[in-house]
């Protein structure tokens, strides 16, 4: 589960912009207040990256520096986008667009299609497999189910890397792709797939990005309209950006640099889909003036879990390893990771189920436990073992909570009760909100005790129980809330896909566990052939498998169980061995020979004003605060003075008069009004600050790089008691 849903309580909205910053550590606060210019946040697992960037957006909005509708935050899953919207709402920054790349692009494409292309937009297909199958028939190529899936993945990779069918073979060879069929055959299937789509007037998800890119490239008027709408961009999970997504982001930005990216090269686990950490690692090269903030304080995991996570990456190789972050746990010590070896996979599953049963009996909530595996095919064995042990479970990545039929029906029932509750006999004898919800949902199948066993009946009960728990938390956080208030809260959560907690052990693949966390994690099947997977051959593929295990380890808050089986089936030959990634980390093993990667410490690296292509760069500024009382400033005049109008001034009157005389002379020479040189407010700010060097002068609002270059030498000379152009007042 996510940090946002770890507690279903409803925090109070901060009462001011400054209150948004409360509770942030120094690095997170730096992220939150760095609202101008390019910012790169290198955030290790569990270091509060989502907290930092949502507080950044909320602080900018609440301080009046960012307009909510001008901000576009993009991430990679609907779940992550929903969590971001939920957090922003709790921080008082509703109205900010937080979407996936595809969702944002689809919205723009639908809006501009009539103007850019004309007619109706083609239908968007959810799944490509049937179209690929039809393309195979047209090519007279027979594909089994596994090949269909793999060829579909190759087509997706080609499109996100902007590879056309004719270029597929050389591009796949250059990228070291392990192709499921001959490259020439896949290129033929790819071309036929595109033909099938055109014939049926449909597009796929990759087309959404490709077509949006094409529209923005070809129609400058539309590109300018989009850029006028969105002026500030935040990109989460930036290590997972594909070349196509980066191209779209560049078109959204234009020649501006109001961009904040967040990522961790050590969590790059989707390169097979075209994702690459190169954009993250090259950010400082593309944006020389960028501020880089490194988050390494791990608030999620105990020192024991963090030690294992750091150890996993210590032997890593490659460019991502060169930029790894050394996590520092901020939590109290916990138990050491437990390593278990079993004779076969069913016995391993039974062992995990037995331990989980003991944990639940000792008071650990089932929803705070997860079993993570490398492939989805491993799930069935654990489902059976948990069912035999009487342990409820849920599969992650399945149907979204608010799309479940029982949740939709429950929502209709609650809405009806809120509207006509006075005529509902179910509510005659109940007064408080939780009791009302329990009464209404009892008619939908909720009972005080869960049904025995597992399966569909249990899953429906778990969904309704999650709504009951949500109502209890809502009532506790907002005394006096009505059923109508709860229905409104559910509607907002449904729009944000901010689901409540469902009670049940979580079963998930390592890939789908990304972005989630639990108190207890069972990493299963950690054996050679599964971790790393057998088809990982190259050094790059092996390193991605290591990062995948790292992601699994860092999902655990307190307890971590790592296990493997010596054979697949009972009675099988015990030929397996524990994963090489555990060498030197598990008891009784020896370290793998080779270099040890050097981890990066946390902190802040400020860029120097440079160039992005030929575009001029602005001087980095953080939101203005009164230098007398510390209040955040939003009035333009006050921001120039860097103090409230009501706060006392310490202006050097003599310096101010000399600056005014110099300004009048400059205005006469240039034939322009005096305020075009510097406004009165800017002159007052200079006289109050009396800057010693260009850096201090550049920080004064109203100066800017152009005026700094033109007038900086004269102004600094006057502040130093000299005449502009040389000499002193005494000469």
């Amino acid at each position: 589960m996510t940090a946002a849903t770890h507690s279903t309580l409803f925090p109070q909205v901060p009462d001011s912009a400054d209150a948004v910053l409360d509770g942030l550590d120094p690095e997170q606060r730096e992220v939150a207040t760095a609202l101008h210019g390019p910012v790169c946040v290198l955030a290790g697992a569990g270091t509060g990256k989502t907290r930092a960037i949502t507080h950044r957006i909320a602080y900018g909005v609440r301080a009046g520096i960012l307009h909510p509708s001008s901000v576009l935050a993009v991430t990679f899953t609907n779940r992550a986008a929903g969590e971001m919207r939920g957090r922003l709402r709790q921080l008082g920054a509703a109205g900010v667009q937080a979407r996936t790349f595809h969702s944002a692009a689809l919205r723009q494409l639908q809006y501009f299609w009539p103007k850019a292309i004309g007619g109706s937009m083609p239908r968007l297909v959810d799944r490509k497999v049937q179209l690929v199958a039809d393309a195979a028939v047209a090519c007279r190529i027979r594909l089994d189910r596994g090949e269909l899936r793999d060829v579909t993945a190759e087509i997706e990779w080609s499109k996100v890397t902007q590879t056309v069918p004719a270029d597929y073979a050389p591009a796949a060879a250059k990228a070291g792709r392990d192709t499921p069929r001959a490259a020439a055959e896949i290129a033929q299937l790819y071309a036929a797939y595109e033909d099938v789509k055109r014939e049926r007037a449909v597009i796929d998800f990759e087309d959404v990005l490709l077509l949006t890119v094409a529209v923005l490239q070809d129609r400058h008027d539309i590109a300018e309209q989009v850029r006028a709408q969105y002026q500030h961009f935040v990109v989460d999970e930036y290590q997972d950006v594909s070349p196509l997504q980066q191209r779209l982001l560049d078109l959204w930005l234009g020649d501006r640099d109001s961009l904040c990216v967040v990522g961790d090269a050590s969590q790059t686990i989707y390169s097979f889909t075209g994702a690459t950490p190169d954009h993250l690692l090259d950010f400082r090269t593309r944006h020389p003036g960028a501020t880089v903030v490194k988050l390494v304080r791990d608030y999620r995991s105990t020192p024991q879990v963090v030690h294992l996570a750091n150890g996993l990456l210590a032997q890593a190789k490659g460019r991502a390893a060169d930029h790894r972050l050394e996590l520092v746990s901020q939590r109290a010590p916990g138990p050491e990771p437990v390593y278990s070896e079993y004779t076969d996979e069913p016995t391993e599953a039974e062992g995990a189920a037995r331990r989980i049963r003991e944990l639940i009996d000792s008071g650990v909530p089932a929803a705070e436990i997860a079993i993570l595996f490398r492939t989805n095919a491993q799930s069935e064995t654990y489902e059976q073992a948990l069912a035999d042990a009487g342990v409820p479970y849920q599969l992650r990545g399945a149907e979204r909570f608010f799309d479940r039929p029982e949740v939709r029906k429950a929502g209709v029932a609650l809405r009806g009760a809120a509207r006509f509750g006075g005529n509902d006999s179910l509510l005659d004898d109940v007064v408080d909100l939780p009791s009302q919800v329990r009464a209404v949902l009892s008619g939908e199948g909720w009972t005080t005790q869960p049904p025995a066993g597992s399966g569909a009946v249990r899953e429906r009960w778990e969904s309704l129980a999650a709504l009951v728990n949500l109502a209890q938390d809502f009532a506790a956080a907002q005394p006096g809330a009505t059923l109508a208030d709860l229905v409104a809260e559910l509607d907002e959560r449904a729009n944000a896909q901010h689901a409540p907690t469902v009670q049940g052990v979580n079963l998930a693949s390592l890939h789908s566990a990304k972005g989630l966390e639990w108190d207890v994690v069972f990493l299963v099947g950690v054996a050679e052939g599964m971790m790393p997977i057998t088809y990982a051959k190259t050094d790059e593929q092996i390193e991605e498998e290591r990062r995948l295990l790292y992601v699994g380890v860092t999902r655990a808050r307190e307890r971590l169980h790592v296990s493997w089986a010596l054979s697949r089936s009972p009675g099988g030959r015990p030929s397996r061995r524990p994963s090489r990634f555990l060498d030197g980390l598990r008891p009784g093993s020896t370290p793998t020979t080779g270099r040890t990667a050097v981890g990066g410490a946390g902190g802040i690296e400020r860029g120097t004003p440079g160039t992005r292509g030929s575009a001029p760069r602005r001087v980095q500024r953080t939101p203005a605060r009164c230098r007398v009382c510390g209040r955040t400033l939003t009035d333009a005049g006050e921001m120039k003075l860097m103090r409230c109008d009501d706060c006392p001034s310490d202006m050097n009157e003599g310096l101010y008069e000399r600056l005014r005389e110099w300004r009048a002379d400059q205005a006469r020479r240039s034939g322009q009004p005096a305020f075009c040189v510097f406004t009165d407010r800017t002159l007052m700010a200079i006289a109050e600050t009396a800057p010693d060097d260009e850096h201090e002068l550049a920080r004064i609002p109203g100066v800017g790089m152009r005026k700094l270059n033109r007038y900086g030498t004269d102004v600094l000379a006057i502040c130093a008691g000299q005449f502009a152009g040389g000499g002193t007042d005494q000469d």
Side-chain angles (χ1 to χ4, degrees):
M1 59 190 286
T2 63
T5 57
H6 177 42
S7 170
T8 52
L9 294 177
F10 297 78
Q12 296 296 315
V13 174
D15 59 8
S16 67
D18 290 343
V20 172
L21 303 178
D22 291 346
L24 299 182
D25 68 31
E27 292 79 26
Q28 292 171 343
R29 182 179 285 258
E30 180 69 23
V31 174
T33 55
L35 295 176
H36 297 291
V39 178
C40 179
V41 184
L42 302 177
T47 56
K49 69 177 180 65
T50 306
R51 176 180 173 82
I53 59 174
T54 51
H55 281 68
R56 177 184 190 270
I57 296 170
Y59 178 63
V61 169
R62 298 289 300 277
I65 298 167
L66 304 179
H67 193 279
S69 63
S70 73
V71 181
L72 178 59
V74 288
T75 186
F76 285 82
T77 66
N78 287 316
R79 181 187 67 215
E83 178 187 342
M84 194 176 291
R85 286 193 294 270
R87 291 201 190 192
L88 289 170
R89 183 163 59 90
Q90 292 170 351
L91 291 169
V96 172
Q97 291 292 318
R99 297 180 174 273
T100 64
F101 270 100
H102 285 90
S103 173
L106 179 60
R107 200 159 176 256
Q108 293 174 16
L109 193 62
Q110 289 171 329
Y111 183 81
F112 290 111
W113 187 277
K115 179 179 180 180
I117 291 118
S120 300
M121 185 175 143
R123 181 174 62 88
L124 179 64
V125 294
D126 292 332
R127 299 178 71 246
K128 303 182 181 67
V129 172
Q130 186 56 54
L131 295 178
V132 175
D134 294 342
V137 170
C139 295
R140 302 192 179 194
I141 297 174
R142 296 190 62 178
L143 300 175
D144 60 30
R145 289 181 62 185
E147 287 176 320
L148 262 178
R149 183 191 64 238
D150 293 342
V151 169
T152 300
E154 286 303 298
I155 291 174
E156 290 174 348
W157 173 82
S158 300
K159 299 184 81 163
V160 300
T161 56
Q162 304 173 82
T163 303
V164 297
D167 296 335
Y168 171 77
K174 182 178 180 181
R177 304 286 292 181
D178 187 8
T179 58
R181 303 282 294 229
E185 280 189 322
I186 294 178
Q188 183 184 1
L189 289 165
Y190 180 12
Y193 168 79
E194 294 297 318
D195 290 339
V196 169
K197 284 197 294 128
R198 276 191 293 271
E199 291 167 3
R200 299 179 186 178
V202 298
I203 59 175
D204 60 29
F205 277 103
E206 287 70 39
D207 289 331
V208 170
L209 299 184
L210 285 164
L211 289 167
T212 306
V213 164
V215 168
L216 295 178
Q217 283 181 161
D218 296 343
R219 292 291 301 268
H220 296 294
D221 56 331
I222 292 177
E224 288 307 314
Q225 192 172 340
V226 172
R227 291 168 191 158
Q229 169 71 54
Y230 297 117
Q231 298 162 26
H232 309 279
F233 296 85
V234 177
V235 184
D236 194 12
E237 304 289 2
Y238 194 58
Q239 77 279 352
D240 291 332
V241 166
S242 70
L244 179 56
Q245 289 164 332
Q246 181 62 48
R247 179 65 187 136
L248 178 59
L249 179 61
D250 288 340
L251 287 166
W252 281 339
L253 272 168
D255 60 0
R256 300 166 301 174
D257 62 4
S258 187
L259 171 66
C260 174
V261 301
V262 190
D264 179 10
S266 296
Q267 296 188 69
T268 305
I269 59 174
Y270 293 106
S271 64
F272 61 91
T273 67
T276 171
D278 289 347
H279 303 298
L280 175 67
L281 299 178
D282 292 337
F283 191 83
R284 194 69 175 273
T285 302
R286 295 185 67 193
H287 303 274
T291 296
V292 178
V293 184
K294 297 180 181 180
L295 306 182
V296 298
R297 303 174 199 246
D298 189 318
Y299 298 96
R300 175 188 299 158
S301 305
T302 63
Q304 287 74 14
V305 173
V306 167
H307 177 72
L308 175 58
N310 287 334
L312 274 173
L313 295 184
Q315 297 294 331
K317 304 173 184 175
R319 193 175 181 212
D322 293 337
H323 294 80
R324 78 181 183 93
L325 299 169
E326 184 86 25
L327 300 178
V328 181
S329 176
Q330 305 297 299
R331 296 195 55 178
E336 291 290 340
V338 176
Y339 300 89
S340 302
E341 183 174 278
Y342 296 91
T343 56
D344 53 66
E345 289 183 3
T347 304
E348 182 183 7
E350 290 167 7
R354 186 170 56 252
R355 292 191 181 209
I356 289 171
R357 178 76 270 172
E358 293 169 355
L359 287 167
I360 293 174
D361 291 343
S362 70
V364 178
E368 287 297 345
I369 304 172
I371 299 176
L372 307 183
F373 32 75
R374 176 62 180 82
T375 68
N376 287 318
Q378 295 168 268
S379 174
E380 185 177 355
T381 304
Y382 289 89
E383 290 179 57
Q384 185 62 54
L386 291 172
D388 291 344
V391 174
Y393 64 86
Q394 59 171 325
L395 290 170
R396 300 298 309 194
E399 188 176 31
R400 291 191 291 186
F401 180 83
F402 288 104
D403 292 336
R404 297 176 186 177
E406 65 272 17
V407 174
R408 295 170 75 91
K409 283 185 64 180
V412 171
L414 290 170
R415 189 170 287 104
R419 209 175 278 170
F420 310 110
N423 300 318
D424 193 335
S425 60
L426 282 173
L427 304 182
D428 284 348
D429 299 322
V430 294
V431 290
D432 65 308
L433 177 59
S435 298
Q436 290 176 330
V437 172
R438 287 193 291 268
V440 173
L441 296 188
S442 64
E444 301 299 320
W446 178 82
T447 57
T448 54
Q449 294 299 318
S454 57
V457 174
R458 178 63 183 245
E459 289 178 3
R460 283 196 294 272
W461 184 90
E462 295 286 0
S463 297
L464 299 177
L467 293 175
V468 170
N469 292 334
L470 184 72
Q472 292 171 340
D473 288 342
F474 188 63
Q478 299 189 23
T482 66
L483 199 53
D485 295 330
L486 177 64
V487 168
E489 172 67 22
L490 289 175
D491 286 342
E492 290 198 40
R493 281 176 165 252
N495 291 332
Q497 285 300 327
H498 184 195
T501 303
V502 176
Q503 288 301 320
V505 172
N506 297 267
L507 293 175
S509 70
L510 287 166
H511 282 100
S512 64
K514 179 77 167 60
L516 303 175
E517 58 188 70
W518 298 273
D519 285 346
V520 186
V521 168
F522 286 77
L523 285 174
V524 300
V526 189
E528 286 291 309
M530 194 61 72
M531 182 61 64
I533 201 82
T534 50
Y535 52 75
K537 304 292 186 184
T538 66
D539 288 345
E540 291 80 6
Q541 291 168 340
I542 296 293
E543 287 306 314
E544 181 140 337
E545 293 289 297
R546 188 195 306 274
R547 294 193 295 269
L548 189 56
L549 184 58
Y550 171 81
V551 166
V553 168
T554 54
R555 300 310 96 193
R557 295 194 194 101
E558 298 172 6
R559 295 186 178 98
L560 181 64
H561 295 257
V562 183
S563 65
W564 58 90
L566 299 178
S567 66
R568 180 176 182 181
S569 305
R573 188 164 61 90
S575 57
R576 293 178 175 175
R577 64 174 295 268
S579 170
R580 72 190 74 171
F581 300 144
L582 299 178
D583 290 348
L585 301 174
R586 61 182 176 85
S589 63
T590 55
T592 302
T593 57
R595 73 178 183 88
T596 298
V598 178
I604 302 156
E605 299 173 10
R606 302 189 188 280
T608 55
T611 58
R612 180 177 184 256
S614 58
R617 301 200 55 76
R618 69 180 62 172
V619 177
Q620 294 289 316
R621 293 188 180 92
T622 56
R625 289 174 175 276
C626 175
R627 51 194 170 78
V628 180
C629 70
R631 183 177 68 84
T632 299
L633 303 176
T634 56
D635 177 76
E638 291 182 339
M639 289 172 68
K640 284 197 173 184
L641 290 177
M642 295 301 288
R643 64 171 173 81
C644 307
D645 279 332
D646 297 336
C647 288
S649 170
D650 54 357
M651 183 176 68
N652 183 325
E653 295 287 350
L655 175 57
Y656 179 63
E657 288 304 319
R658 290 195 298 276
L659 287 169
R660 281 175 57 85
E661 292 172 5
W662 166 83
R663 183 182 64 173
D665 183 54
Q666 290 293 326
R668 281 194 299 272
R669 292 183 185 183
S670 61
Q672 60 183 344
F675 69 82
C676 290
V677 180
F678 283 121
T679 65
D680 287 346
R681 288 269 185 173
T682 300
L683 285 191
M684 290 175 65
I686 295 172
E688 290 185 356
T689 307
D692 292 327
D693 54 37
E694 287 190 355
H695 178 69
E696 288 186 16
L697 179 59
R699 292 178 60 185
I700 297 174
V703 176
M705 285 300 296
R706 183 176 63 83
K707 292 187 178 181
L708 179 67
N709 293 332
R710 185 171 183 179
Y711 303 124
T713 301
D714 283 359
V715 170
L716 290 173
I718 294 170
C719 291
Q722 301 173 341
F723 289 122
T728 67
D729 288 344
Q730 286 76 35
D731 287 346

